[in-house]
């Protein structure tokens, strides 16, 4: 059976690698992003269908849901990023509120809105895969706290949709290179420190995450739900 897959934030970085993997497996893949021109280029490159959408905007998310068609099998909530990058350090409470709300919108509300909008389309056997971050383990910023909330919400979502034959999990990447996540601001010293924190001695790459997402959407993962799956080379360990 050909599956229908939606990857938000599929126009670059990890999302594009995830979308390309599903497409290579023969699935029908829809990708989203805010920058329509970039989205169109990515869609052509990987043979996906582009629908421009800001996942943090309820109106745009409703339009996306309306355009999707009646049925969906896999939702990957990849859209997100640290909205503090490039923003001057908050010097007033107003700015603190602004920066935290931006990260909550980008990383938590984006997934909640998209999932809510398409939930009724998911067929039995379907899955929701949210994308968190190793930053959730330390949560010393709006970004980390938003991702931590996304981790927690995923567990509740799993309980809610499990009875319908659906699963929900979260993939939590560590440092992944070859993305625009750091907006070119990652210093060599910080990069070396991120790699030194791993047991594998290397940065992750988008396909490391894509392979894990592909597995969680596969038949072999039908009894895995409500979990956080870490893809970080051992930089944060669990038991
Ligand atoms: N790279 C890492 O080291 C790393 C580590 C841990 C977690 N993550 C997480 O992995 C996910 C993907 O990040 P990445 O590293 O691949 O970054 P990226 O290269 O910057 O890609 C982000 C993608 O999401 C889209 N996007 C961002 N905000 C969006 C929104 N509001 N609505 C729709 N699309 C949106 C971007 O396109 P537009 O800008 O055109 O919208 C782009 O396609 C994010 O959730 C990030 O927090 C990344």
């Amino acid at each position: 059976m050909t599956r229908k897959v939606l990857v938000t934030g599929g126009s670059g970085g990890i999302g594009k690698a995830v979308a390309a993997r599903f497409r290579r497996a023969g699935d029908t893949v829809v990708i989203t992003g805010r920058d329509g021109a970039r989205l169109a280029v990515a869609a052509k490159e990987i043979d996906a269908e582009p629908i421009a959408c800001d996942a943090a905007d309820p109106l745009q998310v409703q339009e996306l849901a309306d355009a999707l068609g009646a049925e969906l099998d896999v939702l990957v909530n990849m859209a997100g990023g640290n909205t503090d990058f490039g923003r001057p350090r908050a010097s007033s409470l107003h700015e603190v509120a602004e920066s935290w709300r931006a990260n909550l919108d980008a990383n938590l509300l984006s997934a909640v809105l998209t999932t809510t909008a398409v939930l009724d389309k998911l067929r039995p056997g379907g899955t929701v895969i949210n994308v968190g971050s190793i930053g959730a383990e330390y949560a010393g910023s709006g970004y980390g706290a938003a991702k931590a909330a996304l981790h927690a919400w995923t567990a509740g979502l799993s309980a809610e949709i499990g009875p319908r034959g659906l699963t929900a999990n979260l993939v939590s990447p560590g440092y992944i290179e070859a993305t625009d996540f750091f907006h070119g601001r990652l210093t060599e010293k910080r990069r070396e420190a991120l790699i030194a924190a791993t047991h594998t001695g290397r940065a992750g790459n988008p396909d490391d995450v894509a392979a894990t997402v592909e597995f969680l959407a596969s038949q072999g993962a039908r009894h895995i739900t409500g979990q956080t799956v870490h893809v970080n080379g051992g930089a944060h360990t669990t038991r």
Side-chain angles (χ1 to χ4, degrees):
M1 184 189 78
T2 305
R3 298 180 303 181
K4 184 148 182 182
V5 179
L6 170 63
V7 183
T8 71
S11 60
I14 305 169
K16 191 167 87 172
V18 167
R21 240 181 201 263
F22 281 114
R23 191 66 199 101
R24 279 199 300 274
D27 297 317
T28 299
V29 180
V30 176
I31 59 172
T32 73
R34 293 163 300 179
D35 179 340
R38 181 187 184 203
L39 180 69
V41 171
K44 194 164 181 209
E45 183 189 329
I46 64 172
D47 189 27
E49 180 191 344
I51 301 181
C53 174
D54 180 345
D57 179 331
L59 203 65
Q60 291 188 38
V61 172
Q62 187 56 58
E63 284 169 3
L64 165 69
D66 293 344
L68 260 188
E71 288 172 332
L72 188 67
D73 298 290
V74 180
L75 167 62
V76 182
N77 284 309
M78 183 66 69
N82 189 339
T83 53
D84 282 345
F85 288 145
R87 194 185 264 268
R89 197 180 173 78
S91 60
S92 68
L93 279 184
H94 177 76
E95 286 171 10
V96 170
E98 215 173 54
S99 88
W100 274 68
R101 285 191 180 120
N103 261 316
L104 288 165
D105 275 352
N107 295 290
L108 178 61
L109 266 295
S110 55
V112 171
L113 291 174
T114 306
T115 304
T116 305
V118 306
L119 204 52
D120 287 348
K121 298 176 190 293
L122 282 166
R123 294 191 270 213
T127 192
V128 178
I129 298 166
N130 293 327
V131 177
S133 169
I134 194 171
E137 308 305 326
Y138 316 109
S141 65
Y143 174 69
K147 290 294 197 186
L150 183 63
H151 289 213
W153 177 68
T154 305
L157 177 68
S158 165
E160 180 192 333
I161 67 180
R164 280 179 50 195
L166 303 172
T167 60
N169 290 289
L170 179 138
V171 173
S172 181
Y175 167 50
I176 306 296
E177 65 183 1
T179 76
D180 291 332
F181 180 80
F182 292 95
H183 301 277
R185 290 165 194 271
L186 183 66
T187 63
E188 194 47 38
K189 195 173 163 203
R190 178 77 182 126
R191 179 176 181 274
E192 282 169 12
L194 289 170
I195 291 172
T198 67
H199 302 174
T200 52
R202 69 167 175 88
N205 58 60
D207 212 46
D208 288 322
V209 181
T212 305
V213 170
E214 183 179 47
F215 166 66
L216 287 173
S218 72
Q219 273 303 318
R222 291 312 301 161
H223 204 50
I224 300 174
T225 190
Q227 306 301 315
T228 291
V229 180
H230 296 271
V231 183
N232 59 35
H236 169 76
T237 56
T238 58
R239 53 199 59 79

